[in-house]
Amino acid sequence: MTIALILGAYFAGLLAKQFSFPPLVGYLFAGFALHLAGFNLTADVQLIADLGITLMLFTIGLKINIKDLIARQVWGSALSHMGLWMIACLLINGAMGALGLLLFDLTMLETAILIFALSFSSTVCVIKVLEEAGEIRSRQATISVGILIIQDLVAVGFLVIATGVLPSPWAVLLLLLPLIRPLLDKILAATGHGELLPLAGLMLALGAYALFELVSVKGDFGALIVGMVVATSPKASELYKSLISFKDLFLIAFFLSIGLSALPDSYMLFLASLLLLLLPLKFLLFYCVLSLLAFRARTAFLSALLLANFSEFGLIVVALSVKEGLLDQVWLVVLAITAAQSFVITSLLYKNAHVFYARLSPFLLRFQRQKATDSSTIQKVPGANVLVIGMGRVGRGVCESLERQGIEHVWGVEVDKHRVALLTDVGINNVVHGDADDYEFWEAQDLSTVRLVMLATPNVDEIINIIKQLRLAGFSGRIAAIAQHDDERETLLNHGADVAFNYYQEVGHGFAEESKHLFS
């Protein structure tokens, strides 16, 4: 069975990639195809899937700034949307019942549980989409992940109420976890850079899971919290990168498990398709709530598009309700199909989200509040000749090299506001906070003086999108980009980059250039 799952996942993911779909679309279909072929969900596959979710939440924690999470706009958006969703769906259900249009007979309690389960958005889907787009540090990522965490807290509360299992009195000691951060910093520093680092990450994630379960608190929530504790460590970024491949590999089992868990009949598929009609309502409610809370139109649009799906947490809510005899088993299968279909829709729509926004922005900006001042307020770059997009190690190296060559008015653009603050603290002042994926960012700049834009970001899809936004904004200068592989280099050239450098080859050239004086 193991080899069948691996082959099925690989070839389905490869086929999806050939048609420019995200691989997760292939994994979802592979699960259903394998189930149709006679394979069922086993304890081993479920264990790997659960491990993937635990690692995912731990790595999310490594990227979270607690100040962003506790912002009124974040928790206000999450709770307001959930309340409005419940009211709107109950009103729709009541209206359809009055008109005799209901296709299934549910009690008010059953209807409320189902609507509540559908109110959650998928953490797994959103994170995968953001990572594939290279936007995990973007403003919409911060907002979406914050809302997802608030939703997860609501789900944990529901599980406590539904099961009647209260956390142990010892759970209060978990509040002391931030005090062990200095110890964790020392452990990670001593770990070094080899295989011990991802092993340390697994130890922390699974150890946190076990610790929280020990005091009757959901283990996945523990992995998230410990990730947030470690987030300020100097090793956090390196730890995140060391775990990405493991997390992505284990999450394949999660997508397979959806299809392997149940095979729907035609009636279930029909019900799932009907529930999908609620996705536009979910998007609209998120967009309205985020706009009313004074987010920019672009932030509201992209965040709403990311969150317009149904969640694996909804499956947990329904599974528990089935176990308690509150819902029929058929709804667990229906919701699994609905969630899988919503994952596909989100992943496909978000691939062109920035193009959609650029075309819709004249209309959407009419609804942007005048006091829309989220922390992504656009900063202008004064009189730049060269713009370097992405101020990580590569971007900083590019700026330093250009300045050594006497090139003036070189400015960096960085999407991570915390990194901008760190750079400013060490005396690097020619950097602004901005999202290069944002058409409005480029529209606000005076590009007439800019001769060259250098894209020092590692994600090819993000680079392609930035090139599109630059051209839409009327930029006529030259564009240089970096790629990690030769096929990616060709892709970037075909999409409008004037020059695309192979990252590893250029590192070698730079190393040789810096070392040649040793021969003299």
Side-chain angles (χ1 to χ4, degrees):
M1 178 177 178
T2 302
I3 189 63
L5 294 180
I6 293 173
L7 288 173
Y10 173 75
F11 284 108
L14 181 63
L15 184 63
K17 188 174 185 293
Q18 299 309 306
F19 287 95
S20 299
F21 295 153
L24 74 85
V25 174
Y27 305 147
L28 288 167
F29 281 106
F32 290 111
L34 287 165
H35 196 145
L36 190 62
F39 294 96
N40 294 305
L41 181 63
T42 65
D44 290 339
V45 174
Q46 188 62 59
L47 178 63
I48 296 172
D50 292 342
L51 181 57
I53 292 175
T54 301
L55 275 180
M56 181 197 68
L57 289 169
F58 179 72
T59 55
I60 290 173
L62 291 174
K63 293 290 185 180
I64 287 178
N65 183 285
I66 190 65
K67 292 180 181 178
D68 293 327
L69 181 60
I70 63 176
R72 177 184 61 85
Q73 288 175 306
V74 172
W75 58 261
S77 299
L79 298 179
S80 298
H81 176 272
M82 190 165 283
L84 290 172
W85 170 264
M86 294 292 296
I87 293 170
C89 289
L90 286 171
L91 288 175
I92 291 172
N93 183 76
M96 292 181 67
L99 295 172
L101 298 176
L102 285 180
L103 299 176
F104 37 82
D105 185 23
L106 294 175
T107 66
M108 181 57 71
L109 177 60
E110 290 171 332
T111 301
I113 291 173
L114 187 59
I115 292 172
F116 178 67
L118 292 170
S119 69
F120 297 97
S121 301
S122 172
T123 304
V124 176
C125 178
V126 170
I127 295 302
K128 285 294 292 180
V129 168
L130 285 168
E131 287 179 343
E132 288 173 359
E135 298 178 13
I136 199 66
R137 288 187 177 273
S138 65
R139 180 59 173 163
Q140 62 268 23
T142 300
I143 300 303
S144 300
V145 171
I147 289 173
L148 288 166
I149 291 173
I150 300 300
Q151 288 184 349
D152 291 351
L153 290 174
V154 173
V156 170
F158 172 83
L159 295 177
V160 170
I161 294 171
T163 60
V165 178
L166 294 174
S168 162
W170 293 101
V172 70
L173 295 178
L174 297 175
L175 297 174
L176 301 178
L177 278 175
L179 299 180
I180 68 170
R181 192 181 72 81
L183 174 62
L184 295 179
D185 286 350
K186 291 181 179 179
I187 292 173
L188 290 173
T191 298
H193 309 283
E195 68 274 7
L196 279 177
L197 188 59
L199 187 60
L202 287 168
M203 175 189 71
L204 290 173
L206 298 181
Y209 184 101
L211 178 63
F212 274 60
E213 287 285 339
L214 190 63
V215 293
S216 301
V217 179
K218 200 168 188 309
D220 290 330
F221 185 62
L224 173 69
I225 295 299
V226 171
M228 293 169 64
V229 170
V230 180
T232 54
S233 168
K235 297 283 284 188
S237 179
E238 187 181 354
L239 180 61
Y240 175 87
K241 292 175 182 177
S242 73
L243 290 172
I244 284 297
S245 295
F246 292 99
K247 183 261 298 179
D248 288 343
L249 193 60
F250 294 150
L251 278 179
I252 293 174
F254 167 78
F255 293 114
L256 288 174
S257 70
I258 293 176
L260 289 170
S261 60
L263 196 62
D265 56 28
S266 58
Y267 178 65
M268 294 177 185
L269 288 172
F270 174 68
L271 290 179
S273 299
L274 284 180
L275 292 178
L276 277 181
L277 297 177
L278 292 172
L279 283 181
L281 174 64
K282 195 166 197 177
F283 168 82
L284 184 62
L285 288 178
F286 266 123
Y287 181 78
C288 291
V289 166
L290 292 168
S291 296
L292 287 172
L293 287 172
F295 285 104
R296 285 175 50 216
R298 177 180 180 271
T299 304
F301 177 82
L302 295 178
S303 299
L305 198 59
L306 280 167
L307 294 165
N309 48 63
F310 301 121
S311 171
E312 59 280 357
F313 261 116
L315 295 178
I316 295 173
V317 169
V318 172
L320 180 60
S321 300
V322 170
K323 182 180 178 182
E324 298 294 325
L326 300 175
L327 275 178
D328 189 274
Q329 174 73 27
V330 68
W331 288 106
L332 182 58
V333 182
V334 169
L335 197 62
I337 304 301
T338 306
Q341 290 175 322
S342 73
F343 294 174
V344 174
I345 292 171
T346 297
S347 61
L348 295 181
L349 288 179
Y350 201 79
K351 282 180 68 69
N352 295 297
H354 300 282
V355 176
F356 292 154
Y357 178 75
R359 293 174 179 172
L360 294 172
S361 59
F363 172 74
L364 295 174
L365 287 171
R366 298 177 189 174
F367 304 98
Q368 179 174 286
R369 298 185 68 182
Q370 288 186 343
K371 64 174 185 177
T373 55
D374 67 41
S375 62
S376 61
T377 300
I378 294 172
Q379 297 181 6
K380 294 186 178 181
V381 182
N385 289 331
V386 179
L387 289 178
V388 179
I389 311 302
M391 289 297 287
R393 287 176 293 183
V394 175
R396 291 199 302 272
V398 169
C399 287
E400 292 169 1
S401 178
L402 292 174
E403 289 170 351
R404 284 199 302 267
Q405 296 174 44
I407 297 176
E408 298 180 338
H409 306 298
V410 178
W411 280 80
V413 178
E414 171 57 47
V415 69
D416 185 352
K417 62 182 179 181
H418 305 295
R419 179 176 287 171
V420 172
L422 290 173
L423 292 172
T424 303
D425 289 343
V426 297
I428 301 176
N429 296 311
N430 57 331
V431 57
V432 298
H433 172 239
D435 186 351
D437 285 303
D438 185 354
Y439 169 73
E440 292 174 15
F441 172 81
W442 295 114
E443 195 177 41
Q445 307 303 323
D446 179 9
L447 297 175
S448 62
T449 64
V450 180
R451 297 168 56 191
L452 174 64
V453 174
M454 305 184 72
L455 305 177
T457 61
N459 186 280
V460 173
D461 289 333
E462 183 183 14
I463 292 174
I464 291 172
N465 183 61
I466 293 172
I467 293 173
K468 289 179 182 177
Q469 304 307 319
L470 279 167
R471 297 312 185 195
L472 282 171
F475 177 65
S476 57
R478 310 301 292 274
I479 298 174
I482 59 171
Q484 298 185 46
H485 307 284
D486 286 336
D487 60 330
E488 292 179 347
R489 179 177 176 275
E490 292 299 322
T491 299
L492 293 175
L493 292 173
N494 291 335
H495 280 83
D498 296 290
V499 178
F501 296 96
N502 185 301
Y503 175 78
Y504 296 108
Q505 287 181 358
E506 295 308 312
V507 168
H509 294 325
F511 184 38
E513 185 68 24
E514 291 293 325
S515 304
K516 66 181 182 181
H517 70 280
L518 298 175
F519 283 101
S520 58

